[in-house]
Amino acid sequence: MCNNTKTKRKISLANNTIVFSLISIFLGLIVGAIALAISGFNPIEAYSVMIDGIIGKPKYIVWTFIKATPLILTGLSVAFAFKTGLFNIGAEGQFIVGALTATLVGYGLHLPAIIHIPLTLIAAALAGACWGGFAGFLKSKFGVNEVISTIMLNWIAFYLNNYMIMKPWLREGNSEASHLINESASISIDWLTGLIGPATKANWGIVIAIILVFIIAFVLFKTTLGYELRGVGYNKFGAEYGGINIKSSIFKSMAIAGGLAALAGAVQVLGVTHNITVLAAPEGNGFDGIAVALIANSNPIGVIFSGILFGALKYGGTKMQTIQAPSEVINIVIGSIVYFIALSSVIRMLFIKYKNKKKQGGIE
């Protein structure tokens, strides 16, 4: 009886996603430490500088949340699509479309803030929903793989952004940036910025992101719509047999995912940059969202923590340059974490095999 209980606990531990996510994060940091050591730097010193750069001062903590906000929202977008059986690799393009739309509405309209801010966010979400929904339409109507269509839409969004900025009515003088949005569209927290420092750019973005996470979690797990979308993700043939409209579900899922990623771009404009610029290359917020969703195992609540982790690594990692250590090692850490997450099934198998071997050897 006791042995059965122990076996069940081991199997439960082996299937614990949180445990293996933490193991993957630890292994990723180990790989980063090895890369630092090979480069001739002390890993403990480098990581200490990074941690101090994350929590050493109040403004560092604020900047960590600022960096994490778009990653939480793009991660939520990708996680939502994953939960419904789709791979939204187009979060990058949807982010750009959201940022562009937020700039157009934020600069082009003059309204009271209580109207201007929500209107700008809604407009950006609708633009992103249309962008993502188009990929959903192509898949549901013509069977076009959403990975292919969203990759193509990423580049269309990229060049559309650069084209629009060059329009005289949107361009700021001879620069490669747009006009700034009106103050009434800003979600900056002026009193906190003044308290911590003018370069902090504190804003309400993290609050908006967390609210959206709980809304999506509620929709996915507590509503009929969420049940239908998850049903299609688990088994679309079974869902269709149960009377669920597969084509409609695919379109809805991609539209919602697109809207979430676009809101990431809108929040970044309204709270941090206040304008958009000509892009030399994709910034990577949407692609990083894929990694955030993977670490969270596509759990909406987990996206908050994985997004903050990535935000902390990306912001704190730049502090390693103060000891001449290459900040690029953070990309190695992130890539390694994702790699180990992908190998989690192998790690689970080895874990169970090791425990069974111990049992057979009479160690327990």
Side-chain angles (χ1 to χ4, degrees), residues 10-345:
K10 289 167 189 173
I11 292 173
S12 176
L13 180 61
N15 292 323
N16 192 320
T17 302
I18 295 176
V19 170
F20 282 99
S21 292
L22 293 175
I23 291 173
S24 298
I25 292 168
F26 175 75
L27 292 175
L29 291 171
I30 292 295
V31 171
I34 293 172
L36 283 167
I38 292 173
S39 301
F41 298 94
N42 185 333
I44 296 176
E45 181 185 7
Y47 281 160
S48 296
V49 170
M50 181 183 73
I51 293 171
D52 182 67
I54 296 169
I55 59 175
K57 295 180 181 179
K59 68 176 182 179
Y60 295 165
I61 297 173
V62 172
W63 264 113
T64 295
F65 285 120
I66 291 171
K67 294 291 184 182
T69 299
L71 300 179
I72 291 173
L73 288 171
T74 55
L76 183 63
S77 169
V78 175
F80 182 86
F82 278 160
K83 280 291 186 185
T84 59
L86 298 169
F87 189 7
N88 179 28
I89 204 171
E92 184 72 26
Q94 295 148 14
F95 178 96
I96 294 172
V97 167
L100 174 60
T101 304
T103 302
L104 293 173
V105 177
Y107 166 70
L109 298 180
H110 298 270
L111 298 166
I114 196 171
I115 298 174
H116 203 177
I117 293 172
L119 178 62
T120 304
L121 291 173
I122 291 170
L126 288 175
C130 291
W131 207 259
F134 181 65
F137 169 76
L138 291 176
K139 181 176 179 68
S140 62
K141 187 72 174 178
F142 305 106
V144 178
N145 189 288
E146 73 275 13
V147 173
I148 302 299
S149 60
T150 50
I151 289 175
M152 296 299 100
L153 286 168
N154 282 346
W155 288 107
I156 294 172
F158 176 85
Y159 289 112
L160 176 64
N161 175 85
N162 291 353
Y163 171 77
M164 291 297 294
I165 291 173
M166 290 295 101
K167 290 296 180 183
W169 51 270
L170 185 60
R171 185 179 183 183
E172 179 68 42
N174 293 321
S175 69
E176 293 189 343
S178 70
H179 289 288
L180 296 174
I181 61 170
N182 295 316
E183 188 65 29
S184 59
S186 172
I187 58 171
S188 298
I189 307 177
D190 295 331
W191 62 268
L192 185 57
T193 299
L195 185 66
I196 297 177
T200 308
K201 297 184 179 180
N203 63 82
W204 292 104
I206 188 67
V207 177
I208 294 172
I210 291 173
I211 289 173
L212 286 169
V213 164
F214 283 102
I215 290 174
I216 291 300
F218 179 81
V219 169
L220 272 176
F221 302 111
K222 299 294 184 181
T223 67
T224 302
L225 173 63
Y227 176 80
E228 291 179 352
L229 294 179
R230 285 188 295 117
V232 174
Y234 288 135
N235 187 332
K236 67 178 182 179
F237 300 109
E240 188 174 26
Y241 181 78
I244 297 174
N245 189 325
I246 304 298
K247 293 183 178 181
S248 175
S249 294
I250 291 173
F251 174 78
K252 290 175 185 176
S253 176
M254 287 302 297
I256 293 172
L260 291 170
L263 282 170
V267 166
Q268 187 73 359
V269 167
L270 301 189
V272 181
T273 62
H274 294 162
N275 69 348
I276 53 176
T277 60
V278 171
L279 299 173
E283 295 177 324
N285 288 296
F287 299 123
D288 287 339
I290 297 173
V292 169
L294 286 172
I295 289 182
N297 194 36
S298 299
N299 184 298
I301 306 300
V303 164
I304 296 175
F305 300 102
S306 58
I308 291 173
L309 170 67
F310 267 55
L313 289 174
K314 282 188 167 292
Y315 179 68
T318 61
K319 303 297 182 180
M320 291 197 299
Q321 292 178 340
T322 59
I323 60 169
Q324 308 304 315
S327 61
E328 288 79 9
V329 74
I330 294 303
N331 292 328
I332 296 175
V333 171
I334 292 174
S336 300
I337 291 172
V338 174
Y339 179 77
F340 288 120
I341 288 287
L343 287 176
S344 60
S345 59

